[in-house]
């Protein structure tokens, strides 16, 4: 039988249909196998774990067939209870598969202490970055007569003067005493001069 006659024969038509049917069946089973192995369509929504304790996190995630990993603690955040979740990854609402690990960070038990930085004789703008870098906050700004405008002359905490190296808790508010720049050089000299210096020549 020639090729032309074979391609037009009933045998070729039957064999072609059988081959297509086999391909369709194999493709169907392959897609089902792929869905099963990837657990497609069975995703879990990550819950919001903020402000939960580690024990509460474990209980909540166990119910959803999820796991967790405690990374470390972060600096104390007053907006969260002690030893509660401050950060999580994946974020709440994310879709994950069964057994996925959720990474969490726990709030510390309280503020740690830091040393007062040397801000004396720095300008107000120069003093703020190192203050905030240590986790301290700007308190009340007080101006007093002085030649140096916006120059830090004193640092105070809760009404008392503090010096470089003194320890305070993070998030403490440090009041800054600044010069107002209104006192002239001559006024400073006059204010520091002794009564003898201020006497007229004919009085000495």
């Amino acid at each position: 039988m020639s090729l032309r006659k074979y391609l037009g024969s009933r045998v070729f038509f039957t064999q072609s249909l059988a081959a297509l049917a086999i391909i369709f069946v194999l493709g169907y089973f392959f897609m089902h196998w792929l869905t099963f192995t990837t657990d497609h369509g069975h995703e879990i929504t990550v819950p919001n774990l903020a402000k939960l304790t580690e024990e509460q996190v474990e209980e909540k995630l166990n119910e959803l067939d999820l796991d967790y990993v405690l990374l470390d603690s972060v600096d104390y955040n007053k907006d969260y209870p002690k030893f509660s979740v401050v950060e999580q990854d994946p974020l709440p609402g994310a879709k994950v598969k069964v057994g996925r690990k959720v990474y969490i960070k726990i709030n510390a038990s309280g503020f740690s202490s830091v040393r007062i930085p040397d801000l004396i004789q720095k300008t107000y703008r120069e003093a703020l970055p190192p203050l905030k870098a240590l986790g301290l906050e700007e308190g009340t700004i007080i101006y007093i007569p002085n030649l140096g405008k916006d120059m830090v002359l004193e640092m105070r905490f809760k009404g008392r003067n503090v010096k470089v190296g003194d320890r305070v808790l993070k998030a403490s508010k440090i009041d800054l005493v600044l010069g107002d720049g209104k006192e002239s050089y001559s006024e400073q000299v006059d204010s520091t001069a002794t009564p003898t210096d201020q006497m007229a020549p004919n009085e000495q």
Side-chain angles (χ1 to χ4, degrees), residues 35 79 92 117 135 166 183 192:
T35 300
D79 296 328
D166 287 350
E183 187 177 48
T192 57

Side-chain angles (χ1 to χ4, degrees), residues 181-201:
K182 295 179 180 179
E183 187 177 48
S184 66
Y185 178 75
S186 60
E187 288 174 332
Q188 277 196 331
V189 172
D190 291 341
S191 66
T192 57
T194 63
T196 304
D197 296 331
Q198 295 176 356
M199 291 174 61

Side-chain angles (χ1 to χ4, degrees), residues 28-151:
Y28 176 80
F29 281 109
F30 175 76
M31 291 302 297
H32 272 268
W33 173 82
L34 190 63
T35 300
F36 175 78
T37 55
T38 59
D39 204 22
H40 181 71
H42 296 280
E43 296 178 324
I44 300 170
T45 302
V46 176
N48 187 358
L49 305 176
K51 300 185 177 181
L52 298 183
T53 64
E54 188 176 353
E55 291 77 14
Q56 291 171 326
V57 167
E58 183 175 9
E59 181 179 348
K60 192 164 191 174
L61 294 184
N62 280 342
E63 294 174 354
L64 298 172
D65 291 326
L66 298 175
D67 200 358
Y68 77 97
V69 176
L70 175 60
L71 295 179
D72 53 20
S73 61
V74 299
D75 287 340
Y76 180 68
N77 188 327
K78 62 184 177 181
D79 296 328
Y80 291 79
K82 296 178 181 179
F83 304 115
S84 68
V85 175
V86 176
E87 300 177 19
Q88 71 176 84
D89 181 36
L91 296 174
K95 300 293 185 180
V96 298
K97 295 181 172 57
V98 172
R100 171 66 187 271
K101 289 182 173 62
V102 180
Y103 298 89
I104 61 174
K105 291 185 179 181
I106 299 292
N107 198 20
S109 60
F111 289 118
S112 57
S113 65
V114 294
R115 293 185 184 275
I116 296 288
D118 186 3
L119 306 179
I120 302 300
Q121 298 300 312
K122 294 183 183 295
T123 64
Y124 172 71
R125 293 183 63 180
E126 292 173 336
L128 285 185
L131 192 71
K132 293 182 177 180
L134 291 172
L136 299 173
E137 298 181 9
E138 171 191 349
T140 304
I141 302 301
I142 305 163
Y143 283 96
I144 63 174
N146 189 271
L147 183 64
K149 180 172 175 56
D150 291 329
M151 189 75 70

